[in-house]
Amino acid sequence: SAGFDAHRYDTINSGFISINDEDYEWVTQQLVKIANTCCQGRIVSVLEGGYRVQGGLTSPFACSVAAHVRNLVHPTQLQWIPALE
């Protein structure tokens, strides 16, 4: 689950979280890198419902899902490299 209701323009979170489409894209890219490293690139993504979808194809929900799915359909081949501290 990607938490699509956290989008900046989704009224359900009253603008407190403010994640945008690029953030969903970045998070998905990072998850793909981890999956490439840990489990041969396998990811399960579940859309559980309960979102506000006013605005149709241009709704915050639709844009967030599109950013997420784009990165699952065309995944990076990069591996996750943990930060060295």
Side-chain angles (χ1 to χ4, degrees), residues 2-12 19 21 24 46-69:
F4 295 116
D5 52 1
H7 194 283
R8 173 188 328 204
Y9 298 121
D10 193 319
T11 57
I12 200 166
I19 295 175
D21 303 343
Y24 286 106
V46 177
L47 184 60
E48 73 275 2
Y51 297 104
R52 293 182 178 206
V53 295
Q54 291 81 0
L57 296 176
T58 60
S59 70
F61 169 73
C63 294
S64 301
V65 170
H68 175 67
V69 171

Side-chain angles (χ1 to χ4, degrees), residues 25-65:
E25 192 169 320
W26 180 84
V27 166
T28 304
Q29 289 170 353
Q30 302 314 302
L31 291 172
V32 169
K33 287 179 186 178
I34 293 168
N36 289 343
T37 302
C38 300
C39 55
Q40 301 169 341
R42 293 175 292 199
I43 292 179
V44 174
S45 180
V46 177
L47 184 60
E48 73 275 2
Y51 297 104
R52 293 182 178 206
V53 295
Q54 291 81 0
L57 296 176
T58 60
S59 70
F61 169 73
C63 294
S64 301
V65 170

